Amino acid sequence: MRMVKHFLNLLLTLCLGLGSVSFAWANDITVMSGTLSIRTSSPQGLYLDVNVEFDLPRSVQDALNRGIPLYFVTEFSIQQQRWYWVNKPLIEASLMTRLSYSPLTRQYRLSRGGLSQSFDSLSETLAILKSLHGWRISEDTHIENPEDCVAEVRVRLDTNQLPLPMQVTIGENDWDLTSDWYVVDFDRSITHPLEDGKQ
């Protein structure tokens, strides 16, 4: 009987531990896909498509609904891999997305790259926030030796944009929303530019 009780206590402790790990993981941003392609039609350039997944913790939602805007940063880089030295940066870019809520109009607003949209629900707003399509990384469409290059992207919540008093008092776990660096796929327009006549 004592052994059964001990086993049940261990099982309960394990479940609680896994629950806390799952909760912590749920606060992370996960990049689901990322693709870089070339467009030769105007405006020509290198374009990135990224899809991410995450949930806003309750404390972050509460702050948003009190009228405090949130800023998400998408960071991108292409580096040339060199076995004899550190990787050489070729292209670096970042894009800020502002998510806000107006208690007066009861609408959410998403601003990205000079464009803004309003939504009636947070779920609608987050669906757009999590899907970034057609971000022009560079006007130059040429990537020399793409087989020797690696492209990476990550998305994070920029807590440095929060009001200073909040930066001091926010809990680190809830507000530490960031993804790992994700290796972006090169479209055929980059890996086989002479064969791809679609663009």
Side-chain angles (χ1 to χ4, degrees), residues 36-41 44-47 140-143 187 189-191 193 196 199:
L36 188 70
S37 59
I38 291 175
R39 293 185 192 174
T40 54
S41 57
Q44 72 173 23
L46 290 174
Y47 284 82
D140 188 1
T141 61
H142 180 66
I143 299 180
D187 186 77
S189 59
I190 296 176
T191 57
D196 189 8
Q199 301 276 341

Side-chain angles (χ1 to χ4, degrees), residues 38-110:
I38 291 175
R39 293 185 192 174
T40 54
S41 57
S42 182
Q44 72 173 23
L46 290 174
Y47 284 82
L48 180 68
D49 294 338
V50 181
N51 292 290
V52 303
E53 186 56 55
F54 64 91
D55 293 319
L56 284 182
R58 176 56 59 187
S59 58
V60 179
Q61 284 191 45
D62 290 343
L64 175 64
N65 290 331
R66 292 199 306 269
I68 297 172
L70 306 177
Y71 295 84
F72 290 85
V73 182
T74 304
E75 298 172 312
F76 174 82
S77 73
I78 298 179
Q79 295 186 346
Q80 182 183 36
Q81 296 179 306
R82 300 187 292 190
W83 62 269
Y84 57 89
W85 196 243
V86 295
N87 292 347
K88 177 184 178 182
L90 299 179
I91 298 174
E92 293 182 338
S94 65
L95 180 66
M96 181 80 76
T97 302
R98 183 180 187 269
L99 170 60
S100 60
Y101 175 74
S102 172
L104 185 63
T105 62
R106 296 184 179 180
Q107 282 194 320
Y108 294 90
R109 191 168 187 83
L110 201 64

Side-chain angles (χ1 to χ4, degrees), residues 23-29 55 57 59-60 157-160 162 165-178:
F23 178 79
W25 178 84
N27 290 347
D28 289 338
I29 298 175
D55 293 319
S59 58
V60 179
L157 174 63
D158 188 359
T159 55
N160 291 327
L162 295 172
M166 282 198 66
Q167 294 182 35
V168 177
T169 59
I170 58 174
E172 291 184 3
N173 291 335
D174 281 356
W175 289 83
D176 187 18
L177 285 168
T178 185

Side-chain angles (χ1 to χ4, degrees), residues 86-194:
V86 295
N87 292 347
K88 177 184 178 182
L90 299 179
I91 298 174
E92 293 182 338
S94 65
L95 180 66
M96 181 80 76
T97 302
R98 183 180 187 269
L99 170 60
S100 60
Y101 175 74
S102 172
L104 185 63
T105 62
R106 296 184 179 180
Q107 282 194 320
Y108 294 90
R109 191 168 187 83
L110 201 64
S111 303
R112 173 191 282 163
L115 300 176
S116 296
Q117 288 178 277
S118 295
F119 303 90
D120 293 327
S121 70
L122 181 58
S123 59
E124 290 179 284
T125 315
L126 290 179
I128 302 300
L129 174 61
K130 296 174 184 179
S131 182
L132 173 59
H133 293 287
W135 174 26
R136 187 163 72 154
I137 299 299
S138 171
E139 297 179 4
D140 188 1
T141 61
H142 180 66
I143 299 180
E144 187 175 354
N145 301 323
E147 65 276 5
D148 296 331
C149 297
V150 60
E152 294 181 308
V153 66
R154 76 170 178 176
V155 180
R156 62 182 177 84
L157 174 63
D158 188 359
T159 55
N160 291 327
Q161 298 290 336
L162 295 172
L164 189 57
M166 282 198 66
Q167 294 182 35
V168 177
T169 59
I170 58 174
E172 291 184 3
N173 291 335
D174 281 356
W175 289 83
D176 187 18
L177 285 168
T178 185
S179 74
D180 293 328
W181 283 100
Y182 178 90
V183 177
V184 173
D185 295 326
F186 285 157
D187 186 77
R188 282 186 61 86
S189 59
I190 296 176
T191 57
H192 299 80
L194 299 180

